[in-house]
Amino acid sequence: MYATHRPGYPSGAVAWLVGSVRRSVLDLGAGSGSLTHALVTAGHTVVGAEPSRAMLAKLAARGLEVPLVQSAAEALPFAPGSFDVVTVATAFHWFDAAAALPQVAAVLKPSGLLALVWNIRSETDGWAAELGELLRAAQPPDLVGHWATDSVRAVEESTLFGPLEAAEFPFTQTLDRAGLVGLAASRSYVIALSSTRRRRLLESVGRLFDSAAGADARVELPYTARCWRSERLDGSG
């Protein structure tokens, strides 16, 4: 469900994170492989690492023909200086940063990059704002706000990496009714709801789609890919 309904990452964001020259990239916390796919498409040499066996199987099913490793960020099985870039897409907030950042620094080449990205829904007005209100009402209190992207502070505070650079890339995801309902249903906090609350929420999302869809029975859900990158400091590997 996650891979089917979540948006990918725009090519401009991928180019900014990794660069246009061919690089050796470790896609860490690769999940079902949305960013892995984009990196391969851009011509980079990629290794996918993911701690979940189930998610790794979904990534393997993409048929990308890249090495896949079951590994957590906190215990990487790679030789020092193996990669030009370590990417993390919508996953860094799940890491134990104090344990993971030294591991990342070690597997990067001198002056290698740690590159982070999250796709954030744009909820400034209209039906997209109403969707945000529906989903936030289902969230536990500790998930409200910028809890995920706030995790970049761990990189800022680390002595292993230099100053963070940031960039944003707006894009849209085209969805039909099943796609929008599936997108909402794929959220971990929605999955955790009681069956009654989940059904009511998804029915509300369906009604919202019905009010917003154009003549082609599609909606354009706006996002921003929020990106950060930081260079490994000399002597930190």
Side-chain angles (χ1 to χ4, degrees):
M1 182 180 291
Y2 187 101
T4 302
H5 299 295
R6 296 294 181 95
Y9 297 91
S11 58
V14 176
W16 186 88
L17 288 164
V18 181
S20 56
V21 176
R22 183 170 181 167
R23 303 284 183 89
S24 58
V25 183
L26 172 62
D27 190 25
L28 188 54
S32 60
S34 293
L35 182 59
T36 316
H37 179 269
L39 291 165
V40 171
T41 300
H44 300 290
T45 302
V46 185
V47 174
E50 164 61 39
S52 165
R53 182 175 298 178
M55 294 300 284
L56 206 61
K58 294 180 183 297
L59 176 51
R62 282 182 176 261
L64 296 176
E65 298 184 355
V66 301
L68 303 178
V69 178
Q70 186 176 3
S71 174
E74 297 82 2
L76 298 177
F78 306 104
S82 294
F83 302 100
D84 296 311
V85 185
V86 172
T87 57
V88 186
T90 317
F92 185 75
H93 51 282
W94 298 119
F95 296 174
D96 177 351
L101 288 175
Q103 294 282 306
V104 171
V107 302
L108 280 170
K109 296 176 182 178
S111 301
L113 289 176
L114 170 59
L116 311 176
V117 58
W118 285 264
N119 282 335
I120 307 298
R121 291 190 315 276
S122 300
E123 301 175 352
T124 53
D125 53 29
W127 75 271
E130 293 182 49
L131 176 65
E133 291 174 4
L134 285 173
L135 294 178
R136 276 191 297 276
Q139 290 181 8
D142 58 346
L143 294 189
V144 174
H146 301 291
W147 63 278
T149 54
D150 280 351
S151 64
V152 301
R153 292 175 182 172
V155 182
E156 289 182 308
E157 295 166 358
S158 171
T159 60
L160 302 172
F161 293 89
L164 278 169
E165 299 177 81
E168 296 188 348
F169 298 85
F171 69 102
T172 60
Q173 180 186 19
T174 303
L175 294 163
D176 60 13
R177 194 181 198 276
L180 185 65
V181 173
L183 177 69
S186 72
R187 303 285 166 177
S188 58
Y189 53 84
V190 174
I191 294 170
L193 294 174
S194 69
S195 59
T196 299
R197 285 195 65 196
R198 184 167 59 252
R199 175 178 54 80
R200 288 174 178 170
L201 171 63
L202 298 181
E203 287 174 350
S204 295
V205 172
R207 287 193 294 270
L208 179 60
F209 175 91
D210 295 339
S211 69
D216 61 349
R218 297 287 191 276
V219 293
E220 297 290 331
L221 182 58
Y223 282 86
T224 298
R226 299 187 65 191
C227 305
W228 287 266
R229 64 188 182 194
S230 181
E231 188 174 299
R232 197 203 87 163
L233 294 175
D234 290 344
S236 63

Short mmCIF file of all heavy atoms in Angstrom, two decimals, residues 11-12 26 32 77 104 117 128 134 143 154 157 160 171 179-180 198 214 227 232 235:
data_model
loop_
_atom_site.label_atom_id
_atom_site.label_comp_id
_atom_site.label_asym_id
_atom_site.label_seq_id
_atom_site.Cartn_x
_atom_site.Cartn_y
_atom_site.Cartn_z
N SER A 11 12.76 14.84 -9.90
CA SER A 11 14.12 14.72 -10.43
C SER A 11 15.00 15.89 -10.02
O SER A 11 16.20 15.72 -9.80
CB SER A 11 14.08 14.60 -11.95
OG SER A 11 13.43 15.72 -12.54
N GLY A 12 14.41 17.08 -9.90
CA GLY A 12 15.20 18.23 -9.47
C GLY A 12 15.74 18.07 -8.07
O GLY A 12 16.89 18.46 -7.78
N LEU A 26 24.67 5.12 -1.17
CA LEU A 26 23.98 4.23 -0.25
C LEU A 26 22.64 4.86 0.08
O LEU A 26 22.58 5.93 0.68
CB LEU A 26 24.78 4.02 1.03
CG LEU A 26 24.07 3.25 2.16
CD1 LEU A 26 23.73 1.83 1.72
CD2 LEU A 26 24.92 3.24 3.43
N SER A 32 10.45 0.87 0.40
CA SER A 32 9.99 0.19 -0.81
C SER A 32 10.71 0.67 -2.06
O SER A 32 10.43 0.19 -3.16
CB SER A 32 8.48 0.36 -0.97
OG SER A 32 8.16 1.74 -1.08
N PRO A 77 27.17 -2.48 7.60
CA PRO A 77 28.17 -3.52 7.32
C PRO A 77 29.08 -3.21 6.14
O PRO A 77 29.49 -4.11 5.40
CB PRO A 77 27.29 -4.73 7.01
CG PRO A 77 26.12 -4.13 6.29
CD PRO A 77 25.88 -2.79 6.96
N VAL A 104 27.32 6.54 9.43
CA VAL A 104 27.22 7.19 8.13
C VAL A 104 28.54 7.87 7.77
O VAL A 104 29.04 7.74 6.64
CB VAL A 104 26.05 8.19 8.11
CG1 VAL A 104 26.09 9.04 6.84
CG2 VAL A 104 24.72 7.46 8.24
N VAL A 117 15.83 13.89 2.61
CA VAL A 117 14.67 14.46 1.92
C VAL A 117 13.40 13.94 2.56
O VAL A 117 13.33 12.78 2.99
CB VAL A 117 14.70 14.14 0.40
CG1 VAL A 117 14.75 12.64 0.14
CG2 VAL A 117 13.51 14.78 -0.32
N ALA A 128 -6.82 20.61 -0.19
CA ALA A 128 -5.61 20.03 0.40
C ALA A 128 -5.50 20.40 1.87
O ALA A 128 -5.04 19.59 2.69
CB ALA A 128 -4.37 20.49 -0.36
N LEU A 134 -8.21 16.63 8.28
CA LEU A 134 -8.74 15.28 8.54
C LEU A 134 -7.65 14.35 9.07
O LEU A 134 -7.86 13.61 10.04
CB LEU A 134 -9.32 14.69 7.25
CG LEU A 134 -10.68 15.22 6.78
CD1 LEU A 134 -11.01 14.65 5.40
CD2 LEU A 134 -11.78 14.85 7.77
N LEU A 143 2.86 13.43 17.23
CA LEU A 143 3.19 13.50 15.81
C LEU A 143 2.82 14.85 15.20
O LEU A 143 3.14 15.09 14.04
CB LEU A 143 2.49 12.39 15.04
CG LEU A 143 2.91 10.95 15.33
CD1 LEU A 143 2.26 10.02 14.32
CD2 LEU A 143 4.41 10.79 15.31
N ALA A 154 19.83 17.04 14.58
CA ALA A 154 20.89 16.14 15.03
C ALA A 154 22.12 16.26 14.14
O ALA A 154 23.26 16.13 14.61
CB ALA A 154 20.39 14.69 15.04
N GLU A 157 23.90 19.55 15.00
CA GLU A 157 24.59 19.50 16.28
C GLU A 157 25.77 18.53 16.28
O GLU A 157 26.57 18.51 17.21
CB GLU A 157 23.59 19.09 17.37
CG GLU A 157 22.49 20.13 17.58
CD GLU A 157 21.32 19.62 18.40
OE1 GLU A 157 21.35 18.42 18.78
OE2 GLU A 157 20.38 20.39 18.64
N LEU A 160 30.49 15.68 13.25
CA LEU A 160 30.96 14.85 12.15
C LEU A 160 30.67 15.44 10.78
O LEU A 160 31.28 15.04 9.77
CB LEU A 160 30.31 13.46 12.23
CG LEU A 160 30.55 12.68 13.52
CD1 LEU A 160 29.69 11.42 13.54
CD2 LEU A 160 32.01 12.35 13.67
N PHE A 171 6.07 20.09 -6.21
CA PHE A 171 5.58 19.20 -7.25
C PHE A 171 4.16 18.78 -6.88
O PHE A 171 3.67 19.12 -5.80
CB PHE A 171 6.50 17.98 -7.44
CG PHE A 171 6.50 17.00 -6.29
CD1 PHE A 171 5.79 15.81 -6.37
CD2 PHE A 171 7.22 17.25 -5.12
CE1 PHE A 171 5.79 14.89 -5.33
CE2 PHE A 171 7.23 16.34 -4.07
CZ PHE A 171 6.51 15.16 -4.18
N GLY A 179 -6.81 6.28 -5.21
CA GLY A 179 -5.45 6.68 -4.86
C GLY A 179 -5.42 7.60 -3.65
O GLY A 179 -4.55 7.45 -2.78
N LEU A 180 -6.35 8.56 -3.58
CA LEU A 180 -6.36 9.47 -2.44
C LEU A 180 -6.76 8.74 -1.16
O LEU A 180 -6.14 8.92 -0.11
CB LEU A 180 -7.33 10.63 -2.69
CG LEU A 180 -7.32 11.70 -1.59
CD1 LEU A 180 -5.97 12.41 -1.52
CD2 LEU A 180 -8.43 12.72 -1.81
N ARG A 198 -11.19 4.31 11.52
CA ARG A 198 -10.51 4.28 10.23
C ARG A 198 -11.52 4.34 9.08
O ARG A 198 -11.34 5.10 8.12
CB ARG A 198 -9.64 3.02 10.12
CG ARG A 198 -8.81 2.96 8.84
CD ARG A 198 -7.75 1.88 8.92
NE ARG A 198 -8.32 0.56 9.14
CZ ARG A 198 -8.22 -0.11 10.29
NH1 ARG A 198 -7.57 0.41 11.31
NH2 ARG A 198 -8.77 -1.31 10.41
N GLY A 214 -11.84 17.04 -10.60
CA GLY A 214 -12.22 17.68 -11.84
C GLY A 214 -12.99 16.75 -12.75
O GLY A 214 -13.37 15.63 -12.36
N CYS A 227 14.64 19.30 1.25
CA CYS A 227 15.93 18.61 1.13
C CYS A 227 17.00 19.30 1.97
O CYS A 227 17.02 20.53 2.09
CB CYS A 227 16.40 18.61 -0.33
SG CYS A 227 15.23 17.93 -1.51
N ARG A 232 30.60 15.49 4.94
CA ARG A 232 31.37 14.86 5.99
C ARG A 232 32.64 15.65 6.24
O ARG A 232 33.37 16.00 5.31
CB ARG A 232 31.75 13.42 5.59
CG ARG A 232 32.19 12.55 6.75
CD ARG A 232 33.06 11.41 6.29
NE ARG A 232 34.45 11.84 6.22
CZ ARG A 232 35.49 11.00 6.16
NH1 ARG A 232 35.30 9.70 6.12
NH2 ARG A 232 36.72 11.46 6.11
N GLY A 235 38.45 13.79 8.73
CA GLY A 235 38.83 13.14 9.99
C GLY A 235 37.68 12.52 10.74
O GLY A 235 37.85 11.96 11.82
#
